[in-house]
Amino acid sequence: FRPRLPQDLDERLIANANLDKALLKLKRSDSALRASEERFRLLLESAGEGIVGFDDKGLCTFINRTALMMLGYTQDELTGQDIHAMIQADRAEGLYAPAEEWCIYDVIRNNVPQRCNEIFRHKDGRTFPVECSSYPMEHEGRVAGAVLVFRDVTESQSLMQNLTYQASHDGL
């Protein structure tokens, strides 16, 4: 014999059971999202290249550890900033290049990936050559920003210069 519960109590119990199921599903989704974010963060931080994200105004939204080490800045010094004048140097004199010439801004304006060679400036003032690739980030059909991936090519350029010199000069 099972006592009959008032109908509103029975409905509340069913509603509570449904809420419990929904809450459990939400907790699982939240856990999966956190795990996905952690994997993305680890991937970003483990990359051997510098990676910098920009919003559609050209402000730095994220930067990985490799980029921070190459540039000599902290996360707080670059995040939220227009970092062009801080990191890009002119190819010849080591002076700042005009922003409109920087490939990341062209990617944001035209939604077309770019590859380029640049000279970047470390926080301490020294400069170094980099190879860059810039890719647009789209959201709902419009450019929401861009990603800049770069690597220091100082060693490879030096090696190439040495090989070129050796090829054109007699060792005797």
Side-chain angles (χ1 to χ4, degrees):
F1 168 76
R2 182 173 163 217
R4 181 85 174 124
L5 297 173
Q7 186 161 347
D8 65 327
L9 182 58
D10 200 26
E11 289 172 359
R12 283 187 277 166
L13 289 174
I14 292 171
N16 281 345
N18 288 338
L19 284 175
D20 286 344
K21 287 179 187 176
L23 184 58
L24 182 60
K25 186 176 179 180
L26 184 61
K27 284 182 182 180
R28 286 183 184 146
S29 293
D30 184 56
S31 178
L33 179 61
R34 289 181 192 273
S36 178
E37 287 174 349
E38 181 64 14
R39 282 191 303 275
F40 173 74
R41 188 189 64 73
L42 288 171
L43 175 67
L44 187 65
E45 292 304 330
S46 299
E49 286 83 21
I51 303 173
V52 184
F54 295 88
D55 66 13
D56 61 345
K57 295 172 188 65
L59 302 179
C60 177
T61 57
F62 66 85
I63 185 165
N64 73 343
R65 183 177 21 239
T66 302
L68 291 170
M69 287 189 312
M70 283 194 270
L71 297 169
Y73 289 94
T74 66
Q75 185 101 23
D76 290 340
E77 289 175 308
L78 297 180
T79 304
Q81 302 298 315
D82 178 357
I83 66 172
H84 169 263
M86 298 168 78
I87 71 168
Q88 190 184 21
D90 184 65
R91 290 167 188 81
E93 300 84 34
L95 303 172
Y96 299 117
E100 58 271 3
E101 292 179 14
W102 199 19
C103 63
I104 196 73
Y105 295 125
D106 194 40
V107 169
I108 293 170
R109 281 190 304 269
N110 299 316
N111 194 19
V112 176
Q114 300 276 328
R115 291 185 60 108
C116 58
N117 294 312
E118 301 285 352
I119 303 294
F120 279 6
R121 180 187 309 281
H122 188 275
K123 184 179 180 178
D124 67 10
R126 65 186 156 90
T127 59
F128 58 99
V130 295
E131 286 181 350
C132 300
S133 297
S134 303
Y135 306 94
M137 292 188 302
E138 292 185 40
H139 180 70
E140 298 179 351
R142 69 172 192 83
V143 176
V147 175
L148 175 72
V149 180
F150 66 94
R151 66 184 185 97
D152 185 340
V153 293
T154 303
E155 286 182 38
S156 62
Q157 280 190 355
S158 177
L159 178 62
M160 192 63 109
Q161 287 172 349
N162 286 338
L163 289 173
T164 301
Y165 178 83
Q166 289 175 3
S168 62
H169 290 79
D170 186 356
L172 300 174

